[in-house]
């Protein structure tokens, strides 16, 4: 039975369609939903809706649900529709009438946002740790091979001298800037939605700052309608931020695929990182890099989905917003995985210093020749034209 | 053990990452993979690679796999990586050395495309049947309420007289044009890739037209490199085509959400199609329509993913293309579901003819007044200005 | 003065914003708008609204506008807002009351669609001619260098033997399939919208098939609401179709950038096709190819804009749809330009047959070695494993 | 003559295609390019490349160019290709050999990024001012009508009581969060690229912090390759940030279109903000709101274009990146315009308090009835079920 259900049962096909993947998706949110529910229950005690012993019972049972979920033993049925219903039904089954009180002063609208934002906060931390590990891998690469020179490219053509240090450091600094974006994204989502109901408040005096503090939010999101309108919007900033991590990995993957073309051979992956072909026996393919490259596009398409889906709608919740859960969760998992895999790639990367040096052919140094003339007082453009004649 | 595997085992993390969701996704393709394999095996007999009794054994076992898959009893392990490997290993386990011959004259590259295109052909048929049913529902609606008039809107403002017939028929005709797009998409994918190997042919005389005919393709895709380059490309036409069905459903959903706003009340959904709120006891929400509306965006984001992912790559297969399977399968399932659900919606739609008639207020007829003057010989623009004064 | 204008003038800022780029964009449509207006005027005579001499005067003046527009001497002011208004005002200025009759039995809604579709038809023809020329260039390349072998790549790694013929032919066949998509797109837009007004018909007996025939449409789009609902939708099929041409050019550009990396050197562009660097005197850059590669993304973003913009809206015209003009016109111009430029690229491409041959190293032939064993009766998978040992 | 040009002239068609819209686009950047060039020239003096009198002459002439550009009197020809060339040629024409020295220690790659980032900084300020003005308009609306109650909607159905204050404040707070995103975007782009050349540094001792300070950058972007790799990337964060402003305006536009449907009539636009129809004399259409709604999609498609275009490329500059200029400039102009127009809309909005009050029908208060029971000690879910029976 659903939380809102009256006597009429929902048409079976309609039920199946509306419920969709929520039961599976919500399993990942149970922990955070219970954490927010515990804070909410404590607040209900503070404002006199629950008694001390009631709140203790609820907390005990909510913790048990967290434990069950951690062991993959908590289930959400299609009939239950979502995690919120499954939790309330579990509580009512275990605690009787007390379970029916937990939804006082909230709607599933603020409840799910609380769970999601707690989930986001944890995933942001995981991303940050992933970036740190990635950057440490780069540091090790620089320590081992930083001084190896090889041609820098523009337009996929040799340009000027580059080095492993310059190359690796470019990604490291970019990731540090990504951390700033993660910080801002976190600042946005670190606003407690609890106590805003379905977007138009709760007809009861609730202590929102108290719940927020207990749930671990830095501040409350004051305006109840803004809470709903920010759904999908904050998520789009999250996915955008993840896409910035992913574009760095996409570019690094493209670089490594190119640098490890045997015809160039500046770098190579160990065999344990390469796959083969079912028809061509000689092949050693960089599938791992190609998949990382491709997954950038998975992430940006999640962002696009969310940005397109939430537009042209009036203020307030619409069921459309239900479909915003999956893209952002998918984007987090993808990014975290790719950061981890690319850290392993860097740690196992072979730099072929001999091939690098051989590739430092004359034209890579053409610009330096120009500057030798500039140092002799020749105007830059004249020096440039003089040297360029050598390459006509 | 993978088909290409040599002595070096793949790093575990790398293996897990590269395999990804393929084992799950490929379960849906087993049937089509076996169908194409049966055609392939027969061709191998024709060109003398297999003997009659060998091909019979292979076909028997391939049919057994189809049967197992139909009962969800065929499995693909992560170690096996994909359905092609699982099938070959099954055959080798059951038939010994004979199983090792099935991959003669093919690569997984042409194998997977054959399976996918057979899958697409079946899904296109399902879509067409879905459209037929959808249009029959519209016909019934027209039969029951076609003559009911209600205001047509432009700019979300009353414009001129519309009717249930005009409205329903607009969608029906649009769906008929969608069928033309499906036809063209089918014409494209109805080209046999079998016998093109990994994009550069097979060093063996194969009889491609024969395999194509047995597998049910109208023609062969002549150029082996084009076969690989069309991967992702044909799929983007498929998803685009599905997006055209979905934009019609998106618009119909938007219409019905608006027409059933109680303040207008032209149409309504039965209670068994409506959901409620966990906090507001009076709510009857059109979640079903909102989800259909939202799922259009799911489909176009799949298209965008595919179009973005496959660009800026050189000719020939890349592992990036592996990720094109999921978007198109997802788009098919979504579209087929939404067609079905919207057929049910139309069949259960209530038209409130009284509210429709009441809404036919004076301004809806303003343009008709203009044309009364036009019929009296007044130049159109003067007639327009005369009548417009009544609405200043 | 605008066609709909009453006594109240529009706020200046609002006017500027709503008019936007329409005056510039509509200049490209004047010719088609007049062509459709001529057909419309003839129909108005047939149904008795206009007299013979009136229609002759109108046609003469409409042809004069076409002529002026062809010489860039027809102007649309911001005050006039769009081409339709500019045309009607021109006619009224020249012909007095007669000009006020031209808008009888139409709205700007069907008028603009007629103009756009005639414009599309012409652009589709230009695309087709562009494809023919592109394919002729490929034919010449094949004639000159088709037999030159060079390595085919998968995963950006040497795979098996390819040839200029195989490579060029892959694009040629893909373009031929693109022609099928163009045909279907044309079939869709070749439906006359004239006589459907603002989406809800005209309160006057009009002869739509007659207008359609005169304007050059194969059939009428029967349902007036469908006419409006297909706006943006048909355009998205057009842009999708153009994106299919562009993805081929994107891939060809990626190939040529890679094949002409000096380290490989299979092919090269003449110097007159290459640009340089303001700092590095030696550079010869394939900017032309990079821009073609990039412009694919311009085209798909137009498609995405249109697909996102037109969703979540109820049936009937909205001003949002005004912004669909620019993306499709931009997509046409971009595609036509790129086809032309890439034809020139192919015509001027140098194939370095010596470097191609040198690159046909042993591993490119590994698969052929496998098949030598297969021909000796060794099961494929065993043969594969035997040969693969040579590359461990 | 182009900066890199040698004896061979570029093929005319190729030149036209590669130059594209740069001459027009770059006109908007001339001022910022000259500002950065002045800082660069001063640095060249500091490191001994230029003499005091030389740098004074250059600065004088660069300021003259700024002045000319401000009066639309500075031109860039197709032959010149871009603003950088036009500036250098102007200097060389006016100052002889001295002009040939200005490009010492830079490439167009760092030059254009400096100009763009200075342009971005100014546009970000304009956006911030636009947000401040928008929020002041909301404050005035709240002062005038904040206490007016009207139904809050979820699922486009009446939910609970809202008010003009709640509604307007939701947008105001969202805009304040947008300012945080603008701050972070600014922090990213406020890194000086000057002195990094084409991505691989300058073979000369330059004083980058000095140039940065003079040009108004807070810090230098240390790594030269990162400078190039951040092109397109920083821009995507900029457009994402603008899209967050635009989604708020999109939602506000959707709200106002819905709230001003005459059937509801909660709010309305003055006639000077409405447009009409060329066929229906009674129409008063909210085109202005529809265009703002649509322009959100223009902005997100620019973001998508940039994100798709810059992927799957190796490190270092590619001409593809040239096409990133237009999307971000377009996104800035669009957002600034829409903020301004929507401020005007709010300032001129009529709130119909009578219609608002009439719409506060019984069901809007259903949740309050539930909480009356809750206050009497009835468990929430039981109270909910009791009240829900009234609405069956």
């Amino acid at each position: 039975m659903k939380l809102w259900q009256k006597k009429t049962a929902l048409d079976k096909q309609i039920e199946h369609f509306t419920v969709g993947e929520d039961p599976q998706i919500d399993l990942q949110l149970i922990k955070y939903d219970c954490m927010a529910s515990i804070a909410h229950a404590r607040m209900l005690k503070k404002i006199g809706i629950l008694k001390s012993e009631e709140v203790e019972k609820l907390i005990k049972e909510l913790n048990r649900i967290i434990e069950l979920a951690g062991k993959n033993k908590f289930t959400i049925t299609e009939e239950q529709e979502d995690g919120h219903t499954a939790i309330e039904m579990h509580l009512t089954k275990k605690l009787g009438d007390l379970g029916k009180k937990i939804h006082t002063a909230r709607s599933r609208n603020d409840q799910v946002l609380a769970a999601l934002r707690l989930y986001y906060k944890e995933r942001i931390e995981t991303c940050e740790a992933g970036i740190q590990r990635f950057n440490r891998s780069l540091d090790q690469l620089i320590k081992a091979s930083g001084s190896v020179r090889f041609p820098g490219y523009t337009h996929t053509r040799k340009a000027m001298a580059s080095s492993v240090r310059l190359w690796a450091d470019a990604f490291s600094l970019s990731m540090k800037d990504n951390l700033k974006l993660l910080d801002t994204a976190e600042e946005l989502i670190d606003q407690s939605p609890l106590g805003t109901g379905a977007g138009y408040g709760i007809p009861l005096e609730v202590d929102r700052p108290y719940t927020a503090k207990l749930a671990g939010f830095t501040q409350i999101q004051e305006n109840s309608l803004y809470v709903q309108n920010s759904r999908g919007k904050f998520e789009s900033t999250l996915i955008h931020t993840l896409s910035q991590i992913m574009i760095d990995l996409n570019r690094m993957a493209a670089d490594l695929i190119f640098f490890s073309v045997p015809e160039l051979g500046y770098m190579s992956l160990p065999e344990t990182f390469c796959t083969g072909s079912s028809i061509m026996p000689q092949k050693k393919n960089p599938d791992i890099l190609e998949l990382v490259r491709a997954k950038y596009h998975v992430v940006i398409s999640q962002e696009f989905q969310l940005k397109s889906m939430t537009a042209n709608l009036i203020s307030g919740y619409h069921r459309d917003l239900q479909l915003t859960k999956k893209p952002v969760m998918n984007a987090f998992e993808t990014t975290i995985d790719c950061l981890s895999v690319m850290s392993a790639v860097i740690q196992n990367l072979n730099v072929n210093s001999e091939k690098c040096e051989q590739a430092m052919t004359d034209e890579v140094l053409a610009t330096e020749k120009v500057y030798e003339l500039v140092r002799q007082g020749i105007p830059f453009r004249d020096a440039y034209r003089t040297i360029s004649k050598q390459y006509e």
Side-chain angles (χ1 to χ4, degrees), chain A:
Chain A
M1 188 156 183
K2 292 164 193 64
L3 295 183
W4 46 268
Q5 205 159 327
K6 292 124 208 182
K7 62 183 179 206
T8 332
L10 203 56
D11 177 278
K12 270 295 152 196
Q13 185 193 6
I14 301 301
E15 174 176 271
H16 182 70
F17 184 82
T18 52
V19 171
E21 298 176 285
D22 271 342
Q24 294 84 318
I25 292 171
D26 280 11
L27 280 180
Q28 295 185 62
L29 298 176
I30 290 296
K31 172 177 143 192
Y32 310 96
D33 203 340
C34 290
M35 283 162 59
S37 294
I38 288 170
H40 180 68
R42 289 213 160 105
M43 188 279 290
L44 288 180
K45 190 192 86 179
K46 184 160 187 272
I47 66 167
I49 299 285
L50 294 177
K51 294 183 208 130
S52 276
E53 58 273 24
E54 286 182 325
V55 81
E56 290 316 314
K57 280 185 198 164
L58 282 168
I59 290 172
K60 198 174 158 195
E61 206 52 44
L62 285 163
N63 276 321
R64 191 165 301 164
I65 295 175
I66 293 177
E67 208 190 314
L68 285 170
K71 297 175 184 160
N72 288 319
K73 285 185 176 164
F74 189 77
T75 53
I76 306 170
T77 65
E78 180 164 298
E79 221 287 316
Q80 284 171 333
E81 178 182 39
D82 58 30
H84 320 305
T85 304
I87 292 171
E88 184 171 321
M89 286 179 74
H90 178 103
L91 294 175
T92 305
K93 194 178 154 196
K94 295 285 179 186
L95 308 174
D97 268 13
L98 177 53
K100 295 179 183 171
K101 292 184 181 171
I102 186 69
H103 209 63
T104 317
R106 75 176 179 195
S107 173
R108 285 180 300 176
N109 296 92
D110 55 340
Q111 186 181 357
V112 71
L113 277 172
L116 282 167
R117 290 181 187 177
L118 292 175
Y119 163 88
Y120 299 153
K121 286 175 75 169
E122 211 172 280
R123 285 302 171 282
I124 287 174
E125 271 180 46
T126 311
C127 281
E128 287 167 345
I131 288 177
Q132 307 296 1
R133 192 165 52 248
F134 178 82
N135 275 3
R136 279 198 302 276
S137 307
L138 287 172
D139 287 346
Q140 288 162 16
L141 177 68
I142 291 173
K143 198 173 284 179
S145 315
S147 61
V148 175
R149 294 195 316 162
F150 69 104
Y153 285 75
T154 64
H155 303 270
T156 326
R157 301 283 176 268
K158 284 184 188 176
M160 289 168 64
S162 181
S163 70
V164 171
R165 180 187 313 282
L166 181 73
W167 179 78
D169 189 48
F171 288 99
S172 178
L173 289 166
S174 195
M175 282 292 171
K176 280 176 191 156
D177 278 344
N178 293 337
L179 289 174
K180 292 182 195 164
L181 291 169
L182 276 172
D183 280 350
T184 305
E186 170 144 43
E187 195 184 334
L188 286 183
I189 58 114
D190 191 14
Q191 306 188 52
S192 174
L194 290 164
T196 58
Y200 301 99
I202 300 288
L204 202 69
E205 277 292 321
V206 290
D207 188 339
R208 295 191 55 204
Y210 183 74
T211 325
K213 200 184 152 196
L214 290 178
F217 287 105
T218 302
Q219 58 172 326
I220 64 165
Q221 192 171 6
E222 192 66 48
N223 184 294
S224 61
L225 184 57
Y226 179 33
V227 170
Q228 290 309 307
N229 286 356
S230 64
R231 187 162 186 190
K233 193 186 170 208
F234 285 174
E235 278 78 2
S236 86
T237 285
L238 278 172
I239 308 188
H240 166 71
T241 300
L242 299 174
S243 83
Q244 298 304 92
I245 298 171
M246 289 302 293
I247 186 67
D248 288 346
L249 301 183
N250 174 284
R251 179 149 298 125
M252 175 174 270
D255 277 350
L256 292 177
I257 290 168
F258 183 67
F259 294 161
S260 64
V261 165
E263 289 90 332
L264 278 69
Y266 305 148
M267 300 178 186
S268 67
L269 292 185
E271 282 209 26
T272 52
F273 279 59
C274 291
T275 49
S277 155
S278 70
I279 173 175
M280 297 171 285
Q282 86 281 12
K283 294 286 283 181
K284 287 169 190 114
N285 294 325
D287 292 45
I288 188 75
L289 298 170
E290 295 173 309
L291 285 168
V292 168
R293 180 171 64 182
K295 286 189 181 215
Y296 165 71
H297 302 277
V298 174
V299 170
I300 60 169
S301 81
Q302 309 300 324
E303 182 186 351
F304 155 51
Q305 181 180 322
L306 218 132
K307 284 189 159 170
S308 176
M309 187 184 276
T310 55
N312 296 7
L313 299 176
I314 64 168
S315 286
Y317 179 75
H318 307 268
R319 184 64 175 259
D320 313 62
L321 297 172
Q322 201 75 1
L323 299 188
T324 63
K325 278 196 259 184
K326 196 179 170 185
V328 64
M329 293 168 86
N330 178 320
F332 265 121
E333 296 317 318
T334 303
T335 305
I336 289 166
D337 275 6
C338 288
L339 272 171
S340 170
V341 159
M342 286 302 278
S343 296
V345 163
I346 297 166
Q347 285 158 26
N348 289 275
L349 194 65
N350 303 312
V351 175
N352 188 331
S353 51
E354 209 170 321
K355 288 221 174 180
C356 286
E357 199 49 50
Q358 282 166 8
M360 292 294 293
T361 44
D362 171 68
E363 75 268 34
V364 182
L365 306 170
T367 307
E368 295 184 29
K369 293 186 208 164
V370 172
Y371 277 92
E372 279 165 33
L373 299 182
V374 166
R375 274 186 220 99
Q376 294 162 26
I378 298 176
F380 171 79
R381 188 59 60 211
D382 291 338
Y384 171 94
R385 294 226 164 87
T386 302
I387 300 300
S388 77
K389 292 204 180 98
Q390 302 177 10
Y391 298 93
E392 270 168 12

